[in-house]
Amino acid sequence: MQTIEGRHAFITGGASGIGLAIARALLARGASVTVADWDQARLDALAGAFHAIRLDVSNRAAWGDARASAEAAHGPVDILCNNAGIGPCRTELTDMDPAAFDRMIAIKLTGSFNGVRCFAPGMRARGAGHVVNTASMAALYPQARLGEYGAAKAGLAMLSEVLRLELAPHGVGVSVLCPGLTSTGLPQTSARAAGRPEPEGTMPGIDAAVVAERVIAGIRGDWPYILTHGERRDAVAARAHTLLGAFDLIPDSTGASA
Ligand code: NAD
């Protein structure tokens, strides 16, 4: 998408952290912005800067009203950022509360699919648009105690790659955002979602505004992947090496049969 000015962006999880930073960056480029979040207190704190909608992305039935409200405010949505998410519960998969696994998949993976089903048909019909799906570095290589988080994020990365293939002929771009550690309200959000007391203090990481600038460049350049932490390159390469190495274990493999 060459121009952001005059476009309408819809950002889930836009009332805090990376989503809010993306909302501000798009607004600064002349886009109109709808922010959707399930946290009413955070939405109230935005104080009219954006069109704000309360939405739980995992509630498929609620998306129709959210779209109607967004379109009434700013017209058809050109840029969809499926960004809403919660943090990992940080237990090993073997011991994990199934409710924590289900919650993660419902919000991050199914919630993003819900956004695609809601807005991508309109983009395809108009022959223009861009979808940014916020995954994570955890989508790109395995990390212990990030099982449900990595599974949802890796699923979202593949969903995005397939969507990109399907929408490219219709002039619609798709990017996967895979940030590394970013200083946001994620620990507090995760505690609220799990009904735990909220931790105090800020989490370490880069500034969310830096991530948002990468997103602006990624939308403009129609990048398939938007990355933020170059120091993770070796870990991703090691995973790719393991995957490709599996082909060498096929007896008499010429590579042709795959
Ligand atoms: P954050 O907690 O500051 O923002 C997330 C927002 O999403 C919150 O406002 C929260 O209320 C909202 N949200 C959560 N579940 C929702 C739901 N079901 N429906 C609607 N809104 C919901 O955290 P953040 O770090 O900015 O997280 C944004 C995205 O970035 C998440 O998908 C997260 O997994 C991803 N991410 C974060 C980091 C990091 O280090 N902070 C790294 C990689 C990926």
Side-chain angles (χ1 to χ4, degrees), residues 132-158:
V132 179
N133 291 325
T134 306
S136 165
M137 262 300 149
L140 304 182
Y141 68 96
Q143 297 172 67
R145 294 180 177 263
L146 292 186
E148 92 286 28
Y149 190 75
K153 299 292 192 180
L156 181 58
M158 184 52 74

Side-chain angles (χ1 to χ4, degrees), residues 89-166:
C89 63
R90 294 196 180 278
T91 56
E92 293 191 359
L93 283 162
T94 312
D95 307 313
M96 190 173 291
D97 178 356
F101 185 90
D102 292 349
R103 187 163 52 235
M104 181 63 68
I105 298 296
I107 293 174
K108 193 65 251 184
L109 185 55
T110 310
S112 299
F113 171 73
N114 292 342
V116 167
R117 275 305 275 121
C118 184
F119 288 115
M123 294 181 189
R124 183 178 59 188
R126 292 187 297 279
H130 201 92
V131 179
V132 179
N133 291 325
T134 306
S136 165
M137 262 300 149
L140 304 182
Y141 68 96
Q143 297 172 67
R145 294 180 177 263
L146 292 186
E148 92 286 28
Y149 190 75
K153 299 292 192 180
L156 181 58
M158 184 52 74
L159 180 154
S160 306
E161 290 199 36
V162 173
L163 189 68
R164 183 178 170 88
L165 272 182
E166 294 172 348

Side-chain angles (χ1 to χ4, degrees), residues 13 15-19 36-39 42 55-58 83-86 107-108 134-136 149 153 179-182 184-186 189 203:
S16 177
I18 293 170
D37 205 291
W38 67 359
D39 191 319
R42 284 178 174 166
L55 171 70
D56 175 352
V57 297
S58 67
N83 170 79
I86 56 174
I107 293 174
K108 193 65 251 184
T134 306
S136 165
Y149 190 75
K153 299 292 192 180
L181 205 57
T182 307
T184 67
L186 201 60
T189 299
M203 67 184 278

Side-chain angles (χ1 to χ4, degrees), residues 54-258:
R54 189 166 192 187
L55 171 70
D56 175 352
V57 297
S58 67
N59 181 1
R60 188 168 292 153
W63 275 87
D65 285 349
R67 181 178 58 204
S69 172
E71 290 181 349
H74 295 305
V77 167
D78 307 296
I79 299 169
L80 168 66
C81 298
N82 284 311
N83 170 79
I86 56 174
C89 63
R90 294 196 180 278
T91 56
E92 293 191 359
L93 283 162
T94 312
D95 307 313
M96 190 173 291
D97 178 356
F101 185 90
D102 292 349
R103 187 163 52 235
M104 181 63 68
I105 298 296
I107 293 174
K108 193 65 251 184
L109 185 55
T110 310
S112 299
F113 171 73
N114 292 342
V116 167
R117 275 305 275 121
C118 184
F119 288 115
M123 294 181 189
R124 183 178 59 188
R126 292 187 297 279
H130 201 92
V131 179
V132 179
N133 291 325
T134 306
S136 165
M137 262 300 149
L140 304 182
Y141 68 96
Q143 297 172 67
R145 294 180 177 263
L146 292 186
E148 92 286 28
Y149 190 75
K153 299 292 192 180
L156 181 58
M158 184 52 74
L159 180 154
S160 306
E161 290 199 36
V162 173
L163 189 68
R164 183 178 170 88
L165 272 182
E166 294 172 348
L167 291 181
H170 303 282
V172 179
V174 179
S175 302
V176 196
L177 170 62
C178 294
L181 205 57
T182 307
S183 182
T184 67
L186 201 60
Q188 288 76 21
T189 299
S190 310
R192 283 187 210 182
R196 286 185 275 108
E198 289 182 32
E200 291 189 2
T202 53
M203 67 184 278
I206 64 171
D207 195 317
V210 174
V211 178
E213 288 306 313
R214 304 288 297 157
V215 171
I216 297 291
I219 293 172
R220 284 191 169 140
D222 190 20
W223 298 348
Y225 276 86
I226 303 171
L227 305 181
T228 60
H229 285 61
E231 64 271 31
R232 298 288 174 241
R233 185 188 183 104
D234 287 351
V236 177
R239 181 191 177 235
H241 184 75
T242 302
L243 181 56
L244 294 176
F247 285 91
D248 299 333
L249 303 176
I250 301 171
D252 301 315
S253 174
T254 61
S257 60

